[in-house]
Amino acid sequence: MTIRDVARRAGVSVATVSAVLNQNKYVSEQLKERVQRAVEELGYQPNRLARSLRRKKSSMVAYIVPTITNPIFSQVARGVQDVMSQASHSVILCNSDLDPKKFEDYRSILLESQIDGLILSAAHDPATGRVVEAFNSKGVPVVIVHSPRDLEDVDSILPDDHGGAVKAVEHLVALGHRRIGIVGVKNSTSSRLRVEGYKEALEKAGIPLDDRLIYLGESYADEYGYKGCQALLQVDPPPTAIFAVSDLLGIKVLSAAADMGLRVPEDISIVAFDNTFAAYSRPQLTSVSVPNYEMGQVAARLLLGRLRRSESELKRAGKAGSPSRGDRAVRKLFDEELVVRASTGPCRAS
């Protein structure tokens, strides 16, 4: 079965069939229907490899994630997939497991596969910059989602970590809390921005900063949420509220508070960040909700805009915030919403 058979069945030229299969917008609707009907009747499947060789386009993009088990990245991946499938692009999902060697291996594999574009969420290490440079040098556009943030001249779709943290702490302040601790993570840009937002909210409220109420764990592993809560509650006087910079840390803060005989929110209020697992804890966690699915959609549209050099695609990507366009790198911050649940309440400390 060849494209000539489809053309013969539809009563059109081979060029017309090719134009329809390649989604050429200048083909009339009547001809499109005839060709599509012939394709369905004959069960024709285009030779994707041959077509990609002719067009020098694979219609494939890749999304590299640190760990697909984290719902943040699975939500982003779903947004990317939904937009790309509508544009007849396949998405190759690559899970690096935070392994630098695996991350570097993906660079070679994907470049050999001649993907059209790359969406990347990666750890902050030297390998990330090398991978981005390798793709850019081959003319393959790259869009960053979530992280890293320290790469210049790269399109980036990012959560407003600083602003989200300000909202979380302002919520606690509005409930009357003045002794507010935070459980963060060392060597994490997202955590650093959230800690900075925490400090800004305290300053705006006229609450003196107490460095003893800042606990930074070695990673986002949930054990540091437990250890962080224990450490903060040993401070004299202890906090009446704790802000954890992720849901996983927040859930372990809940566990530690319960093990120490504290009731939530009667004795201590807890706020988390991400809103991925927050609704599954008991009590349910108040958490800053990050629009990961929408961020994935915008990243995909932005990448399509780079691929097509289409101003209309770039405008669609920038609807929510009108980012810079053209050949300049786009850097878009997404606003976040605080979802208030049962883990926060009025301060009742004497």
Side-chain angles (χ1 to χ4, degrees), residues 11 33 44 46 49 54 56 81 123 195 221 246 251 267 307:
E33 291 176 5
Y44 174 70
L49 177 59
R54 287 194 302 271
K56 296 184 179 180
Q81 176 70 52
V195 172
S246 78
I251 288 172
D267 299 321
L307 293 175

Side-chain angles (χ1 to χ4, degrees), residues 79-131:
V80 170
Q81 176 70 52
D82 285 352
V83 170
M84 285 299 178
S85 63
Q86 291 177 1
S88 300
H89 278 68
S90 298
V91 180
I92 303 171
L93 183 62
C94 304
N95 183 35
S96 72
D97 286 322
L98 295 172
D99 181 343
K101 183 181 184 304
K102 186 181 288 188
F103 186 56
E104 292 270 16
D105 288 344
Y106 280 135
R107 174 183 65 174
S108 301
I109 293 169
L110 295 174
L111 284 173
E112 290 174 3
S113 301
Q114 295 184 322
I115 60 169
D116 295 338
L118 174 66
I119 296 175
L120 177 66
S121 298
H124 302 260
D125 58 50
T128 304
R130 292 196 297 270
V131 168

Side-chain angles (χ1 to χ4, degrees), residues 2-70:
T2 69
I3 193 172
R4 295 182 184 279
D5 297 313
V6 176
R8 192 176 300 112
R9 173 65 69 92
V12 298
S13 68
V14 170
T16 298
V17 175
S18 177
V20 172
L21 295 178
N22 290 315
Q23 299 181 331
N24 189 315
K25 64 182 179 181
Y26 297 109
V27 180
S28 70
E29 287 300 321
Q30 182 182 13
L31 286 179
K32 284 182 184 178
E33 291 176 5
R34 285 167 58 184
V35 171
Q36 289 166 354
R37 186 164 54 249
V39 167
E40 292 173 4
E41 291 172 353
L42 296 173
Y44 174 70
Q45 292 290 332
N47 187 322
R48 186 168 192 154
L49 177 59
R51 188 168 66 174
S52 66
L53 289 172
R54 287 194 302 271
R55 299 171 59 205
K56 296 184 179 180
K57 294 289 183 182
S58 65
S59 294
M60 293 189 298
V61 301
Y63 177 35
I64 302 179
V65 301
T67 168
I68 197 59
T69 58
N70 187 324

Side-chain angles (χ1 to χ4, degrees), residues 2 13 91 103 119 123 137 164 171 197-198 212 297 301 320 324 339 345:
T2 69
S13 68
V91 180
F103 186 56
I119 296 175
S137 68
H171 169 65
Y198 157 85
R212 298 177 302 163
Q297 288 183 306
R301 290 177 185 141
S324 302
V339 180

Side-chain angles (χ1 to χ4, degrees), residues 122-306:
H124 302 260
D125 58 50
T128 304
R130 292 196 297 270
V131 168
V132 171
E133 177 58 32
F135 282 95
N136 283 340
S137 68
K138 298 293 185 181
V140 178
V142 179
V143 177
I144 299 292
V145 183
H146 271 285
S147 61
R149 295 168 176 265
D150 54 354
L151 297 177
E152 297 181 358
D153 301 322
V154 181
D155 293 331
S156 302
I157 307 298
L158 306 167
D160 185 3
D161 291 308
H162 183 281
V166 170
K167 290 179 181 178
V169 177
E170 285 181 341
H171 169 65
L172 295 172
V173 171
L175 291 171
H177 296 279
R178 294 185 64 83
R179 294 288 293 169
I180 302 171
I182 184 170
V183 176
V185 177
K186 297 177 182 177
N187 302 318
S188 164
T189 302
S190 293
S191 176
R192 176 178 58 78
L193 291 169
R194 293 172 190 183
V195 172
E196 289 175 359
Y198 157 85
K199 292 178 179 179
E200 179 181 307
L202 292 181
E203 183 179 0
K204 286 169 61 177
I207 299 174
L209 178 66
D210 185 344
D211 288 332
R212 298 177 302 163
L213 294 180
I214 300 176
Y215 174 88
L216 299 180
E218 297 299 324
S219 73
Y220 282 94
D222 55 10
E223 64 182 281
Y224 292 107
Y226 197 96
K227 292 177 180 178
C229 181
Q230 288 181 318
L232 292 176
L233 290 175
Q234 290 173 6
V235 175
D236 185 21
T240 62
I242 294 177
F243 169 39
V245 300
S246 78
D247 279 358
L248 285 176
L249 293 174
I251 288 172
K252 280 300 184 178
V253 169
L254 270 175
S255 297
D259 289 347
M260 297 177 76
L262 297 178
R263 299 167 301 163
V264 177
E266 291 83 0
D267 299 321
I268 188 167
S269 287
I270 300 171
V271 179
F273 206 112
D274 292 330
N275 199 36
T276 50
F277 297 104
Y280 302 107
S281 64
R282 290 294 178 271
Q284 292 184 334
L285 277 169
T286 294
S287 185
V288 178
S289 183
V290 180
N292 296 302
Y293 176 76
E294 291 78 5
M295 290 171 65
Q297 288 183 306
V298 170
R301 290 177 185 141
L302 180 55
L303 185 59
L304 287 172
R306 293 301 188 194

